[in-house]
Amino acid sequence: MEAREGDEGEQIVGRDAELASLFRALNPATDDPVLLLLGDVGMGKSTLLDRAVRRAEAGGARVLRARGSESESNLAFSALHQLLRPVSADIDGLPERQRAALHGAFGAGPATADCDLMLLGVAVLSVLSAQGTRAPVLVALDDAQWFDRASMDVLSFAARRLAGEPVTMLVTARVGDHLPGFERHVPTLTLGPLDDAAAGRLLDLQPHRPTGWTRTRILDQAEGNPLALVELAKAAALGPAATSPPAGPLPLTAHLERIFAARLDDLPAPTRRALLLLAAMDSVDSALAVSAAVPDAADAAWPPAERAGLIRSTGRDLRFSHPLARSAVYHGASLDARREAHLVLAQSLWDEPDRRAWHVAAAATHPDAAVSEELKRTADRARRRGGHAAAAKALQRAADLSPRPGDSARLLVEAAAEAALTGDLAWVVELATAARARTDDASLLAEAAAQVGRLTVLTVRHSAAFPQLLDAAEELAPVEPSTALDVLAGAAVVRYYSGQDSQKDRIDAALCGLREDATRAWLRTWVRAVSDPFDDRAELLARLPRVAAEARSHPDRLTAYGVMAWLLDETPRAVLAFDEAFDRWGSREALPDGLGGAAAWSYVELGRWERAREACARGSAVGAAAGLDHAVACAAAVDAAVLAYQGDPTAARARAEEALALIDPLESRSVYVFARRALGAAALAEGAHETAFEQLRTIFTADGVPVHYHASYPALADLAAAAVRADRHAEAAAIVERAARTLAGDVSPRLRALINRARGLLAGPRNAEPYFRAALADPVLRHWPFERAQTLLDFAEWLRRRRRITEARVPLAEALEIFRRLGARPWTERARTESRAAGLDVTPAAPDALAELSPQQQQIVRLAADGLTNREIGEKLFLSPRTVSSHLYRSYPKLGITARSQLRDLIEGRR
């Protein structure tokens, strides 16, 4: 049966296999530190969780527990606060930023400017890790379907990073409920009905064992549901009518609720009133805070309710025996009685304005401007603390209570803006639709459309999103041209992600239909650069300085400038912009930026691979928290490329396949191409040239047309390199020459160098040299060190084959130095082999031991060498300090050092 608490000796029938799975999950050495336990109402989720908690406590584990509360799902971070309240000392010991972020989230301090989800997630991870240094930790999350969204986002973030920590997380929820962040790659155990034998045994254990016809009816009605079996047996003991079928078809849940409700009739009036107050409140925290409203557990009002099986008490802790008991009490009361209960609670909650606001709102029976204003203040507090879902819910309820339709519509649009930050597109559409039904104000309607568009851009449904955005932009153009341009900017991002050529014509036409606005010129440049960076590249480049100048005081514009610079192959400018944006403003948005992978790709191209992986980690974390698969896929594709370059092809393939699994290649051509490029690089790293060619060939059509108008072109040189060794010269040459003709005068110096490298690889022995030299001629190409080193190596190999050994040594030495500095292990080994063949002394130096570390260990070692503490490294890489320490401990023997102080000299030797 499902209960809130269980006696130590309570027998659980028919769940031996499920209990065994839970107990295995408690082993700190398990590969899966998170287990999701799902089941319909009454299937016994909480009872099984209680048994796991007792097993963990008996084994010396520290248990941290939180129970979801339907009434508190509107209060930002309420579940997280409940979970961490017993370990406040560990919170006080966190670094200042993490401590301030948690205190701000809990309302115990001012909301901090950098209180973002990742910082809170790292703070929670640090707290759990600190607890784990003293004893194994069990995090028990019960009825998680009622957790507030902010808590769910932070807890799911931490859950994805528990590997290697002595922490287990068990989560219970009802089947079919949406659990953001816990729905993918989390092992799940689903409780089904008890079989006939187990159901019979459970009935035999009841104080009044049903027999005969009554037993048959109970077994038939309960359908294997443990709670139904127990409660129907109790009802049968009171008289045969209690087990009669209800009038008309009722689902089992409604039948059970009716059974609980029937027990209210014979209770004393003080007991019914106390139960209604508890049901309206439904919170352990509030029960302690509003003792003036709710009787103490020792009060005479409670024993009748306990005897009726409606509540359980432990000391001063009172709670309903099951959520259905609470529901029966609440919904069985009259509207006036419920209203009175909420008003009584509100009077007792002057020190808790957010709880009070919701109780006052629950008591409202008609529009009320004062209550609406109180909910708006609640929304504002939730927003400042990062509780976007809570803010949206408060604004939505405030809109319902606003007496004026115009104000109501405005509040709904504000709610849509907050809901957009949760990633819940259906909710945003619902709010925008409701706003449209309450106003004909063009500006409000435009803003509602913009909120839908903002989120639609980040979904994987690009074919559906693009026409919606274009239609909205065209509709808004005559009345709200500024908002229309915002929507069109989103449509350009969708065009980039989808890569569909047909979309460019509609964007161009819509842009031409918008009147010029000097204050929004940067956004027009954005639309053009994103939708086609090779269409009059020279003019777009001329516009960049003005965009950069205007962006200094606008973080969103600075990021946009960085994206445009990257698209135009002005990578050094892009990296400077991204560095400045991150240093000055951090990443405060709850959603990924448009083209969020641009920063990571810029760092990859400039050779700052550790920073690229940091950007990937952040993009993946934000996307996963918001349920935005496309953002996660973008980050995974870039990360896969870096892993391939660093010489971890197995991990690279795993990340690339992860990206491909999250998208439809016809909907998201950009991610598809990036992932295939990473798979091609992984194959090249292993010397599997035929495989590399096949992977890279897929990013061009059968006719040699790029699958994506921007992402495909940088792969031309690698395609040629693989083709040469796979004997596919002609096929690759046709693709390269077609690309050269298409780009013509709009080609960037970087792409021109890549095309020349490809031509040099594919040319006959006597014709290659001019192409290689052209590919290396422009000094600006040093800003793409990995690509330059590949060209140097190719040229050196060609020179050596021509027996021009002396000439080959100079490019070989430079290529080897670059590969070593970047940590491009496979290319380093290839350059060493070629250097030895050219007579160069390339005895590996001691610092090459760094290449033996995993890419993540290399990141940690480099950051530690820069003087960062374990906590600071954890914040950057979204790891716990314990995990960082463990990686360092395992790295020292491989590096031949014994102390952290030696890291700086070791790393400096490679720079």
Side-chain angles (χ1 to χ4, degrees):
M1 63 179 177
E2 183 168 65
R4 303 298 95 186
E5 301 288 348
D7 298 330
E8 192 67 36
E10 180 182 8
Q11 185 172 351
I12 299 177
V13 175
R15 299 298 192 200
D16 292 348
E18 291 86 349
L19 271 175
S21 295
L22 287 177
F23 292 163
R24 282 195 298 272
L26 297 177
N27 184 351
T30 183
D31 292 333
D32 296 310
V34 183
L35 179 65
L36 184 58
L37 182 63
L38 300 179
D40 290 326
V41 171
M43 283 298 176
K45 303 181 296 294
S46 296
T47 298
L48 291 175
L49 184 63
D50 287 338
R51 183 60 59 85
V53 165
R54 291 199 294 273
R55 169 65 69 94
E57 289 175 333
R62 175 64 187 271
V63 176
L64 299 176
R65 189 165 190 172
R67 288 187 176 91
S69 166
E70 187 175 9
S71 65
E72 292 198 354
S73 61
N74 298 325
L75 300 174
F77 300 109
S78 57
L80 187 65
H81 187 212
Q82 183 189 156
L83 181 78
L84 296 184
R85 189 173 58 183
V87 291
S88 57
D90 281 323
I91 294 176
D92 292 339
L94 290 172
E96 174 60 29
R97 289 181 66 238
Q98 295 180 29
R99 181 172 68 251
L102 277 178
H103 285 165
F106 296 156
T112 59
D114 58 357
C115 180
D116 64 12
L117 181 149
M118 275 69 68
L119 185 60
L120 288 168
V122 171
V124 171
L125 191 61
S126 297
V127 169
L128 297 179
S129 182
Q131 283 288 313
T133 62
R134 298 186 282 273
V137 177
L138 170 61
V139 177
L141 308 177
D142 201 6
D143 283 332
Q145 74 275 359
W146 286 328
F147 278 20
D148 63 278
R149 176 60 187 270
S151 294
M152 287 297 293
D153 287 345
V154 173
L155 289 169
S156 64
F157 177 98
R160 290 189 293 273
R161 290 157 179 80
L162 290 179
E165 300 285 347
V167 179
T168 299
M169 185 179 288
L170 301 181
V171 187
T172 74
R174 292 183 181 177
V175 168
D177 282 298
H178 177 51
L179 289 186
F182 285 96
E183 295 173 321
R184 185 184 293 113
H185 308 313
V186 174
T188 300
L189 181 63
T190 302
L191 297 181
L194 297 180
D195 60 29
D196 292 343
R201 290 199 304 275
L202 182 57
L203 286 181
D204 291 339
L205 291 171
Q206 301 313 303
H208 299 280
R209 175 176 173 270
T211 59
W213 178 87
T214 300
R215 183 185 185 91
T216 301
R217 295 293 294 162
I218 291 174
L219 287 170
D220 181 56
Q221 290 183 27
E223 299 177 338
N225 184 293
L227 178 68
L229 289 162
V230 172
E231 296 303 329
L232 288 170
K234 288 180 183 177
L238 301 176
T243 59
S244 299
L250 270 182
L252 179 61
T253 297
H255 194 177
L256 284 169
E257 188 168 327
R258 181 173 287 187
I259 290 174
F260 284 120
R263 299 176 189 168
L264 293 168
D265 296 338
D266 297 329
L267 295 178
T271 299
R272 291 200 302 273
R273 180 179 181 277
L275 283 171
L276 181 55
L277 286 169
L278 186 64
M281 179 175 58
D282 193 27
S283 164
V284 176
D285 290 339
S286 292
L288 300 177
V290 294
S291 56
V294 179
D296 186 86
D299 191 280
W302 296 119
E306 194 164 6
R307 287 193 295 271
L310 294 171
I311 65 166
R312 294 174 183 245
S313 65
T314 304
R316 296 185 64 201
D317 184 7
L318 290 165
R319 67 177 70 253
F320 284 99
S321 59
H322 193 275
L324 288 180
R326 183 256 176 190
S327 182
V329 169
Y330 187 80
H331 294 291
S334 68
L335 181 62
D336 286 342
R338 293 202 300 267
R339 182 172 182 274
E340 180 186 356
H342 284 294
L343 288 175
V344 168
L345 292 170
Q347 286 296 320
S348 303
L349 287 165
W350 285 104
D351 293 337
E352 298 186 61
D354 293 331
R355 295 180 191 276
R356 181 183 185 282
W358 279 105
H359 282 297
V360 172
T365 57
H366 53 77
D368 187 317
V371 178
S372 180
E373 285 295 323
E374 195 162 347
L375 283 168
K376 284 165 57 180
R377 290 191 290 271
T378 286
D380 189 51
R381 286 189 291 270
R383 180 191 295 116
R384 290 199 304 269
R385 289 153 52 200
H388 301 293
K393 288 180 180 179
L395 289 167
Q396 186 174 13
R397 182 64 176 139
D400 292 339
L401 293 173
S402 178
R404 300 172 59 183
D407 291 341
S408 177
R410 178 178 50 77
L411 289 168
L412 285 169
V413 172
E414 289 183 29
E418 292 300 315
L421 296 173
T422 71
D424 191 336
L425 180 59
W427 189 14
V428 176
V429 171
E430 172 195 332
L431 292 166
T433 302
R436 284 194 290 271
R438 300 184 195 187
T439 186
D440 56 3
D441 184 305
S443 62
L444 276 178
L445 294 176
E447 191 174 345
Q451 294 304 333
V452 174
R454 178 188 186 191
L455 187 53
T456 305
V457 165
L458 298 171
T459 70
V460 295
R461 296 156 44 189
H462 298 129
S463 293
F466 185 81
Q468 290 177 4
L469 292 167
L470 258 293
D471 290 346
E474 292 165 355
E475 182 180 343
L476 292 167
V479 291
E480 286 289 333
S482 180
T483 305
L485 189 55
D486 284 331
V487 176
L488 195 57
V493 175
V494 175
R495 144 77 170 157
Y496 185 89
Y497 285 150
S498 69
Q500 294 186 24
D501 291 334
S502 60
Q503 295 173 349
K504 182 179 182 300
D505 292 338
R506 283 201 69 184
I507 289 176
D508 289 343
L511 195 61
C512 288
L514 286 172
R515 65 174 181 264
E516 294 280 351
D517 180 352
T519 64
R520 309 281 281 171
W522 74 273
L523 203 50
R524 296 181 74 93
T525 305
W526 165 272
V527 172
R528 288 184 55 193
V530 171
S531 58
D532 189 351
F534 303 120
D535 183 8
D536 202 350
R537 178 176 178 273
E539 183 189 346
L540 291 172
L541 279 177
R543 291 171 175 248
L544 276 187
R546 179 177 177 182
V547 176
E550 294 175 349
R552 298 305 173 195
S553 57
H554 300 84
D556 57 333
R557 293 195 196 178
L558 190 57
T559 302
Y561 165 70
V563 172
M564 287 186 272
W566 171 70
L567 289 167
L568 294 168
D569 275 335
E570 293 292 310
T571 304
R573 294 199 216 181
V575 166
L576 287 174
F578 290 129
D579 278 347
E580 183 175 351
F582 294 154
D583 290 344
R584 291 176 62 184
W585 291 286
S587 180
R588 298 180 190 170
E589 286 294 323
L591 295 180
D593 294 320
L595 294 183
W601 273 119
S602 296
Y603 290 125
V604 172
E605 292 170 7
L606 205 66
R608 293 173 59 183
W609 292 351
E610 287 80 14
R611 188 68 182 262
R613 297 204 70 203
E614 290 175 31
C616 290
R618 177 169 286 276
S620 182
V622 175
L628 298 171
D629 287 348
H630 197 267
V632 177
C634 285
V638 185
D639 205 32
V642 178
L643 287 165
Y645 298 156
Q646 291 178 323
D648 194 345
T650 301
R653 279 191 291 270
R655 291 289 274 156
E657 295 296 345
E658 177 186 345
L660 292 171
L662 291 171
I663 55 100
D664 180 338
L666 297 180
E667 291 273 333
S668 302
R669 289 175 174 83
S670 60
V671 173
Y672 172 80
V673 168
F674 289 138
R676 291 295 174 188
R677 280 171 52 183
L679 289 170
L684 285 172
E686 294 178 312
H689 300 107
E690 183 71 37
T691 301
F693 181 83
E694 294 297 338
Q695 291 289 353
L696 296 171
R697 181 65 182 81
T698 64
I699 65 179
F700 296 89
T701 68
D703 296 333
V705 177
V707 168
H708 189 274
Y709 62 90
H710 173 262
S712 292
Y713 286 120
L716 287 168
D718 281 346
L719 175 74
V724 168
R725 293 168 175 82
D727 197 20
R728 308 283 285 273
H729 290 70
E731 194 173 353
I735 293 173
V736 170
E737 293 309 317
R738 178 165 190 154
R741 290 192 301 272
T742 300
L743 292 172
D746 288 317
V747 68
S748 66
R750 177 211 179 188
L751 283 182
R752 186 181 299 111
L754 289 174
I755 289 172
N756 278 322
R757 177 190 167 210
R759 284 170 163 168
L761 287 164
L762 296 167
R766 296 184 178 181
N767 302 319
E769 185 170 4
Y771 293 120
F772 284 131
R773 293 199 179 279
L776 296 167
D778 194 333
V780 76
L781 300 176
R782 295 182 182 275
H783 292 300
W784 290 268
F786 184 62
E787 293 172 4
R788 176 176 172 80
Q790 287 178 299
T791 306
L792 287 166
L793 181 56
D794 290 335
F795 184 34
E797 288 176 338
W798 181 88
L799 288 169
R800 191 179 66 80
R801 287 196 297 271
R802 306 279 79 73
R803 300 184 182 281
R804 294 161 62 178
I805 305 299
T806 302
E807 292 178 73
R809 290 172 180 168
V810 174
L812 270 175
E814 184 180 348
L816 179 58
E817 188 278 327
I818 294 173
F819 288 140
R820 286 179 56 178
R821 174 169 52 83
L822 293 174
R825 185 163 41 188
W827 283 266
T828 300
E829 290 307 313
R830 185 177 143 202
R832 282 185 180 137
T833 300
E834 190 66 25
S835 297
R836 282 192 289 268
L840 291 174
D841 181 9
V842 288
T843 303
D848 271 345
L850 188 67
E852 301 303 316
L853 304 181
S854 72
Q856 186 172 66
Q857 286 173 336
Q858 290 183 36
Q859 275 185 290
I860 291 171
V861 164
R862 291 180 186 277
L863 291 171
D866 287 338
L868 276 68
T869 66
N870 288 357
R871 288 183 183 275
E872 291 168 337
I873 296 170
E875 275 192 21
K876 276 185 169 290
L877 303 182
F878 311 115
L879 302 170
S880 73
R882 177 190 176 95
T883 299
V884 173
S885 177
S886 176
H887 277 300
L888 286 172
Y889 179 78
R890 292 196 298 269
S891 299
Y892 288 170
K894 298 177 183 178
L895 297 173
I897 62 175
T898 58
R900 193 186 194 103
S901 59
Q902 297 171 275
L903 286 174
R904 181 174 180 179
D905 290 340
L906 185 146
I907 297 301
E908 286 297 328
R910 294 183 56 88
R911 290 176 175 168

